[in-house]
Amino acid sequence: MYRLGYGDYAKGNYHQALTELQEFVRNNPQDDLADDAQYLIGEVNFSQQKYPDAVAAYDRVISDHPAGDKAAAAYLKKGLALLEMNRTADAVIQLQHVISAYPKSEEARLARERLRALGLRER
């Protein structure tokens, strides 16, 4: 089911991908791919400019899989979604967290770039 959802996401079949990924997470919450599937749910929503839904999906990655390999990306994308919602202060908090919690990651580099683009420096 995960592969189907991923494939439909890659093809731009967002409605189908969302259904498949949600079903996968619901039926396999402890699977190694559950955080990936939940992250992709956020990506589907982000791609469709459904930013509040994307934030909720990224929050679920963070709360359900805090040590998972998608945690840094979820914090980053949550910050970017908050920026799209004009919630700049909340977004900055998320971006700063990426930098402090995952300092050597690609996500931290992207968060630094975004903060600089906003005219801000990292703390």
Side-chain angles (χ1 to χ4, degrees):
M1 188 58 68
Y2 173 80
R3 274 187 244 140
L4 288 173
Y6 184 86
D8 280 322
Y9 168 74
K11 293 176 193 165
N13 299 332
Y14 296 136
H15 179 74
Q16 188 65 30
L18 198 57
T19 300
E20 292 160 347
L21 293 166
Q22 288 170 334
E23 182 178 334
F24 179 82
V25 170
R26 190 171 37 258
N27 294 329
N28 306 283
Q30 302 305 318
D31 190 282
D32 286 344
L33 292 173
D35 61 334
D36 295 59
Q38 186 62 47
Y39 179 79
L40 280 176
I41 290 168
E43 293 292 88
V44 167
N45 286 308
F46 193 98
S47 296
Q48 295 181 305
Q49 300 178 349
K50 296 178 180 177
Y51 301 116
D53 293 337
V55 167
Y58 297 134
D59 274 339
R60 189 153 173 217
V61 173
I62 293 163
S63 66
D64 293 356
H65 309 279
D69 64 344
K70 290 296 184 189
Y75 278 110
L76 175 66
K77 289 302 293 267
K78 179 181 176 183
L80 297 179
L82 289 166
L83 281 175
E84 293 293 337
M85 295 164 59
N86 293 317
R87 292 177 51 192
T88 305
D90 293 330
V92 168
I93 291 168
Q94 296 302 310
L95 297 174
Q96 291 284 7
H97 179 76
V98 173
I99 294 166
S100 64
Y102 310 95
K104 296 186 187 299
S105 68
E106 176 66 9
E107 290 84 1
R109 184 187 69 74
L110 294 169
R112 284 185 194 95
E113 283 181 9
R114 195 64 163 130
L115 288 173
R116 277 195 296 273
L118 292 168
L120 302 170
R121 292 186 314 206
E122 63 182 279
R123 293 191 271 132

